[in-house]
Amino acid sequence: MRTFVHTSHPARVVFGSGTVDRLAEEVRRLDGKRVLLVSGPGLEDAALRVRDALGDLVIAEFDGAAMHTPVEVTERALTVLREADADCLVSVGGGSTTGLSKALALRTDLPQVVVPTTYAGSEVTPVLGETRDGRKTTQASPAILPETVVYDVDLTLSLPLAMSVTSGVNAMAHAVEALYSPDADPVTDRQALDAISRIARALPRLAADPADHEARADLLQGAWLAGTCLATVGMALHHKLCHTLGGGFDLPHAETHTVILPHVLAYNAPTAPDVLRRIAEALDVPDAASGLYDLVASLGGPTSLRELGMPESGLAEAAEAAVATPYPNPRELTVEGVEELLTDAWNGRRPK
Ligand code: NAD
């Protein structure tokens, strides 16, 4: 018999095509009358679409969201928010924009409506990572969790294929680690397997036809399910390594997840054979680690830490940092074992 505790976070999710047109109604549901619209560089078209949908509800805008949520940026946005006397946050963008919205909500307790345009999954988690003086710290609080998420497939159509691949694998990583988490339960298992298979099936379809609306819908739905897993259960070696590499060596977020995931699967394979078998089935390949590596390679995605700018001299330090504090992982964590994993990932070797 399996023993478990399942917690669901209280978020409202609206999913579909053209759902941005329901934003004003969603803001009013939260008693919002004065919206601060939050976005970031490169999101001008999406922000325009959201502004049009919200009309007079928007009283101020901040379009300076940056990767890893620097506190200086949050403070500038907070000044805009206070001067405008905003009573609701609406953000549109990827994990960086969502991070800024969460940082503002944490400081003001304003309700948030988040419109995600990547597959990072942050919109459904009560977790915030912020950077101060180059150091990233993470905290969790119910005040951080967005009240409403509006997924509009139309706003994801502009995400370039390369970013769709890396962001899709970023989502897949949440689902993979949820499956072998000690906190896993029957709900997260089903969500995780569905997310993995949706993302794995959608990415090649998107590569064949970048305008494939159904493939985009599968990716976004997979991202929601995977993000929900991330919010519900603890993560393991993969997330620890990506956090260490992103924070310590300034490597790009989704790309780092994409390179590392096949190698973590290979590392954990000997001690979690049943989970790895289920992941392989969801991916529709004989072996999860090499199958995922081949999928990424076939889509032109990054396969080595070297191409992301990781210095080879930093691998030992990263391995030590990743095992410095204990956390649950299917296979025992040793500095030598993790350094070997990182060396394989640095060289871009196909896992055996
Ligand atoms: P991102 O938000 O930085 O976006 C990457 C780039 O994609 C940006 O230049 C952006 O302008 C562009 N972009 C986004 N959507 C687009 C679209 N539809 N069309 C064209 N361009 C688009 O990257 P990300 O990978 O989504 O998020 C990474 C950040 O999110 C990191 O800081 C990470 O730590 C955080 N994150 C947090 C959580 C959490 O639960 N707290 C979960 C996942 C990620």
Side-chain angles (χ1 to χ4, degrees):
M1 191 192 76
R2 192 174 183 186
T3 304
F4 57 85
V5 175
H6 178 81
T7 306
S8 292
H9 293 288
R12 175 175 163 90
V13 172
V14 177
F15 189 99
S17 168
T19 43
V20 155
D21 290 330
R22 291 169 58 176
L23 270 175
E25 185 188 327
E26 293 302 325
V27 165
R28 287 195 195 98
R29 255 190 108 253
L30 297 168
D31 284 334
K33 294 178 184 64
R34 302 171 62 81
V35 167
L36 173 70
L37 175 56
V38 179
S39 67
L43 294 159
E44 294 77 11
D45 290 350
L48 183 64
R49 179 80 180 82
V50 169
R51 195 185 312 132
D52 282 350
L54 287 171
D56 293 346
L57 284 170
V58 176
I59 46 124
E61 288 187 46
F62 185 86
D63 62 2
M67 188 76 116
H68 305 309
T69 328
V71 287
E72 314 83 76
V73 173
T74 303
E75 272 150 24
R76 279 196 279 122
L78 208 49
T79 305
V80 176
L81 183 157
R82 293 209 166 113
E83 279 173 1
D85 193 22
D87 64 8
C88 185
L89 297 158
V90 174
S91 71
V92 56
S96 299
T97 309
T98 306
L100 175 58
S101 172
K102 288 172 155 184
L104 293 171
L106 181 65
R107 287 161 177 78
T108 59
D109 214 20
L110 290 188
Q112 312 172 65
V113 181
V114 173
V115 186
T117 61
T118 70
Y119 309 121
S122 175
E123 63 279 357
V124 285
T125 80
V127 178
L128 168 65
E130 293 185 285
T131 317
R132 187 189 296 273
D133 301 329
R135 272 201 60 231
K136 190 165 179 176
T137 50
T138 303
Q139 59 184 308
S141 157
I144 292 170
L145 182 73
E147 278 72 5
T148 306
V149 183
V150 175
Y151 288 105
D152 190 335
V153 175
D154 301 2
L155 294 194
T156 63
L157 296 174
S158 56
L159 193 65
L161 178 65
M163 280 163 65
S164 303
V165 171
T166 55
S167 195
V169 178
N170 180 193
M172 206 186 268
H174 310 327
V176 162
E177 294 230 292
L179 283 167
Y180 52 62
S181 169
D183 314 325
D185 63 59
V187 175
T188 56
D189 281 0
R190 292 314 317 158
Q191 290 170 327
L193 290 170
D194 191 33
I196 294 168
S197 90
R198 267 180 205 279
I199 295 165
R201 279 184 283 121
L203 286 174
R205 279 151 54 212
L206 197 65
D209 175 10
D212 187 330
H213 218 255
E214 285 305 316
R216 284 288 184 196
D218 275 334
L219 278 168
L220 198 58
Q221 193 167 322
W224 166 48
L225 293 168
T228 305
C229 291
L230 174 68
T232 313
V233 303
M235 297 285 119
L237 174 61
H238 174 81
H239 283 75
K240 181 69 182 180
L241 270 179
C242 293
H243 187 89
T244 304
L245 293 168
F249 299 91
D250 206 22
L251 298 194
H253 178 82
E255 290 85 341
T256 306
H257 275 266
T258 305
V259 171
I260 292 293
L261 190 58
H263 297 280
V264 169
L265 283 170
Y267 184 87
N268 282 331
T271 42
D274 283 352
V275 171
L276 270 284
R277 182 186 44 74
R278 283 193 287 162
I279 295 170
E281 276 169 21
L283 290 169
D284 197 18
V285 293
D287 170 71
S290 56
L292 178 59
Y293 179 95
D294 292 345
L295 176 68
V296 171
S298 73
L299 296 165
T303 51
S304 73
L305 288 179
R306 179 173 27 194
E307 71 194 273
L308 303 186
M310 174 74 191
E312 191 175 12
S313 58
L315 296 178
E317 181 192 331
E320 276 184 31
V323 306
T325 42
Y327 50 88
N329 185 69
R331 182 169 158 196
E332 189 196 354
L333 298 170
T334 61
V335 178
E336 303 71 46
V338 174
E339 192 175 342
E340 200 178 309
L341 179 168
L342 286 174
T343 304
D344 286 345
W346 191 83
N347 285 295
R349 292 187 187 118
R350 181 177 186 266
K352 292 191 191 74

